[in-house]
C-alpha cells in the first residue's frame, strides 16, 4: 500500500489538467510527510504493535464472548508487547562484560554507540573522499562542460589550485580566451552538443581549436588527470596489500613508496599514450 499510495499522490501532483491547485498542494504535502523518517518509523512500529494485538482485536469483536478466554488472551497479548528498560545497563554479549559496561545504558548504546556512531562514520567517509578541495575541482570539471561557462569562478579556481601551471599573464589571457570561447559555444551547434569534458577535449583536438584556445586546452587536460591520479593511487595501495602481508612485513616504507611512485607514473604514461 505504501508504494501504491506514493504513485497515486505523485500522479495527482503531476496532473495539471484534472486537478485543482488545492488538490495538488494537499497531495504534495501528504507525499512529503510519507517521505519523512518519522512517518516510516511509525509505520513499522504500528505493523509490529497491531500485528501482536490483531488476534485479540478479532476475538473481542465476536458477539458470543467467553470472558475467561478473553482475559487469558488479553494477558497473553500484553506479555508479547515488551517495553524495554532503556535506563538499564547495557552488556554486550560478544565479549566478557567489564566493569565500565555497567555505566552504559541501553539508551546510550543505541543512540550514541549505534545511531550517532554510524552517522559519524558515514560523514567521515564522505569528508575524506569529498573534501572542499575535491568538490571545488569537480565543480570546475562540470562547469567546463556546461552550456555557458562561469569565467570568474573558473579563473578563481585556477588561481587557487593551479598557481604553478599558469603564470600571472597566462591567467589573465585565460580569462580572455574563455570570454571568446563562451561566445563560440553559443553560436556553434557542434560545440553546444558536447556533454562532458573529455568530449570537449576531443573536439578541441579534432578541430585544431586547441591551438587557438591553448590555455583552455591546458586546463582541460589538467582536470582530466584527476580521475586517473585517484584511481591509480587506489590501485597501487590495493596491490601493495597483496605483496606486503604478515610474511613480508619487513619491507621498508621507502622501498614501497618508490615502487608506488613508479607504478603510478607508468599508469599515467600508458593512459596518455
Amino acid at each position: 500500500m505504501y508504494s501504491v499510495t506514493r504513485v497515486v499522490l505523485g500522479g495527482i501532483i503531476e496532473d495539471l489538467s484534472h486537478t485543482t491547485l488545492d488538490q495538488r498542494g494537499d497531495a504534495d504535502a501528504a507525499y512529503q510527510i510519507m517521505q519523512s523518517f518519522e512517518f516510516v518509523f511509525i509505520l513499522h512500529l504500528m505493523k509490529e504493535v497491531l500485528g501482536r494485538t490483531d488476534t485479540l482485536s478479532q476475538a473481542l469483536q465476536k458477539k458470543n464472548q467467553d470472558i475467561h478466554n478473553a482475559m487469558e488472551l488479553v494477558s497473553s497479548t500484553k506479555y508479547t508487547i515488551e517495553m524495554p528498560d532503556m535506563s538499564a545497563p547495557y552488556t554486550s554479549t560478544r565479549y566478557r562484560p567489564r566493569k565500565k559496561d555497567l555505566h552504559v545504558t541501553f539508551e546510550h548504546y543505541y543512540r550514541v554507540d549505534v545511531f550517532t556512531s554510524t552517522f559519524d562514520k558515514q560523514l567521515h567517509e564522505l569528508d575524506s573522499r569529498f573534501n572542499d578541495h575535491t568538490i571545488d575541482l569537480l565543480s570546475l570539471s562540470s562547469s567546463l562542460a556546461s552550456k555557458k561557462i562561469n569565467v570568474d569562478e573558473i579563473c578563481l579556481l585556477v588561481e587557487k589550485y593551479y598557481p604553478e601551471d599558469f603564470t600571472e599573464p597566462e591567467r589573465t589571457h585565460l580569462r580572455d580566451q574563455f570570454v571568446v570561447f563562451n561566445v563560440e559555444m553559443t553560436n556553434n551547434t557542434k560545440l553546444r552538443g558536447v556533454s562532458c569534458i573529455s568530449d570537449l577535449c576531443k573536439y578541441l583536438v579534432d578541430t585544431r581549436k586547441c591551438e587557438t584556445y591553448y590555455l583552455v586546452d591546458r586546463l582541460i587536460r589538467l582536470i582530466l588527470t584527476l580521475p586517473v591520479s585517484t584511481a591509480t593511487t587506489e590501485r597501487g595501495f590495493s596491490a601493495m596489500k597483496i605483496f606486503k602481508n604478515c610474511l613480508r612485513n619487513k619491507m621498508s616504507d621507502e622501498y614501497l613508496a618508490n615502487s608506488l611512485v613508479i607504478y603510478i607514473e607508468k599508469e599515467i604514461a600508458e593512459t596518455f599514450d
Side-chain angles (χ1 to χ4, degrees), residues 1-13 30-31 34-35:
M1 286 297 294
Y2 180 79
S3 58
V4 174
T5 304
R6 286 181 54 199
V7 172
V8 172
L9 291 175
I12 296 174
I13 295 170
Y31 188 85
M34 288 185 64
Q35 295 289 100

Side-chain angles (χ1 to χ4, degrees), residues 135-144 154 157 162 219 223:
I135 292 175
D136 282 345
L137 290 175
L138 291 176
S139 300
L140 173 59
S141 174
S142 61
S143 61
L144 284 172
I154 287 182
L157 292 174
Y162 296 107
L219 176 60
I223 294 296

